[in-house]
Amino acid sequence: MDITILGIESSCDDTSAAVIRNGVVLSNVIAGQKVHEAYGGVVPELASRAHQQNIIPVVHQALKQAGIDKKDLSAIAFTRGPGLLGSLLVGASFAKGFSTALQIPMVDVNHLQAHVLAHFIKADASDTGQPQFPFLCLLVSGGNSQIILVRRWNDMEVIGQTIDDAAGEAFDKCAKVMGLPYPGGPVVDRLAKEGNPAAFQLNKPHIPDYNYSFSGLKTSFLYLLRDELKKNPNFVEENKADLCASLQATIIDILMQKLRKAAKDLKIKEVAVAGGVSANSGLRKAFEDHAEKYGWKIHIPPFAFTTDNAAMVAMSGYFKYLDKEFCPMDAVPFSRVSI
Ligand code: KG4
């Protein structure tokens, strides 16, 4: 029998709905929220209001694009956390209402697990490129930089993580001091293509184990700009591409060094990357280089599944549905929850 899951994602500033049937994605609709651009970051109250406006049209569109009727759904999966509480409440409330009306079960999904499980989404029934367990997943986004040991879909262990800022934050905050728009990551990525990655030396952290730190890099970038701007007020304008290339190369170096160490120590050659920063072209290239040099079997998600999306939520919901792990009607969202 077909298992058809509607996924709902509303943890931050993207309202998304997707349909997955037997692991194959049928639709994945994402509505972004332009309202935050004027503020240089996500404003939680504005985000939850925009989710309220978007959720019904987005679900309607996801069902339509999937070519199914709501009566065909087996269950509804929704992001329960971590995320912005007001935003999560919109998705959770919608899921509760819809599952009650359709009399089908509800499945709660951990947003971070969903990013990892995005690698199991099939483009079609013949798609067999999914990772083999155990594998390592580098989860890099605006709020997280973690190395996760994935033993099974519901058995994940964070073996290393940032002790301060996330990699995405380092991209965004350094972009901000250069006067680039938010989110800075994609802009830095674009400008870095024209620059010299060895033009500027930036601080790399020395911290133990598989953990990360990006605050020192951020400070060294800030001080570089402060000192150079004193000598030349046009320094940023004249060196933008080199600054972006050097910043990006340093962030990637930091990320890959610990990932290499973990892969070597644990003797794991199956390595994946997930989260918003996995869209970065330099990071993708570094993964390809590591595959060649160290014999890694790498898993890089399609762009549509790198940022927040409901297909990954529906995929996680599909696994939970198979294990009959349903969620009660009184489940409340969590703003903070680990993997
Ligand atoms: O996973 P995600 O969509 O959600 C949050 O964690 O909020 O990640 C967003 C982060 C932002 O910091 C953004 O700048 C970064 O991902 N990002 C990128 C690129 N695309 C998105 N960073 C570097 N290069 C990119 N191409």
Side-chain angles (χ1 to χ4, degrees), residues 61-249:
Q61 200 58 30
L63 294 174
K64 196 169 155 200
Q65 280 184 20
I68 64 157
D69 188 83
K70 54 185 184 295
K71 292 191 191 73
D72 300 330
L73 293 172
S74 315
I76 297 170
F78 70 99
T79 304
R80 188 171 179 184
L84 300 170
L85 205 52
S87 293
L88 290 165
L89 271 168
V90 178
S93 307
F94 180 87
K96 288 178 186 181
F98 214 38
S99 87
T100 307
L102 298 173
Q103 302 220 307
I104 55 174
M106 205 167 67
V107 183
D108 59 329
V109 168
N110 178 308
H111 181 81
L112 302 176
Q113 276 193 1
H115 269 300
V116 176
L117 297 175
H119 289 285
F120 291 87
I121 300 170
K122 294 183 179 183
D124 53 52
S126 64
D127 182 354
T128 52
Q130 291 74 34
Q132 301 289 311
F133 298 115
F135 66 95
L136 289 175
C137 186
L138 176 70
L139 177 57
V140 269
S141 67
N144 290 280
S145 295
Q146 302 182 325
I147 299 177
I148 301 160
L149 170 61
V150 188
R151 296 190 191 88
R152 197 178 168 259
W153 73 261
N154 61 352
D155 183 1
M156 301 187 192
E157 185 187 342
V158 177
I159 58 168
Q161 59 188 322
T162 182
I163 58 165
D164 41 55
D165 293 339
E169 246 175 307
F171 270 110
D172 294 343
K173 288 188 178 157
C174 292
K176 194 173 178 183
V177 297
M178 286 189 280
L180 300 176
Y182 175 87
V187 188
V188 171
D189 190 356
R190 184 164 45 76
L191 292 170
K193 292 193 174 98
E194 315 289 323
N196 172 11
F200 299 103
Q201 294 299 313
L202 300 165
N203 266 14
K204 287 188 198 158
H206 297 282
I207 53 164
D209 308 321
Y210 308 124
N211 291 328
Y212 290 120
S213 164
F214 290 99
S215 66
L217 164 65
K218 222 175 56 187
T219 310
S220 84
F221 193 79
L222 189 69
Y223 285 178
L224 170 73
L225 261 57
R226 185 196 59 184
D227 296 346
E228 294 295 333
L229 281 168
K230 275 187 206 153
K231 295 182 239 162
N232 171 12
N234 295 326
F235 173 75
V236 173
E237 239 4 88
E238 288 168 10
N239 295 281
K240 216 170 244 178
D242 284 351
L243 284 166
C244 288
S246 303
L247 172 67
Q248 178 167 304

Side-chain angles (χ1 to χ4, degrees), residues 12 115 141-143 168-169 171-172 183-186 189 275-277 279-281 306-308:
C12 190
H115 269 300
S141 67
E169 246 175 307
F171 270 110
D172 294 343
D189 190 356
V277 181
N280 185 269
S281 59
T306 56
T307 46
D308 292 347

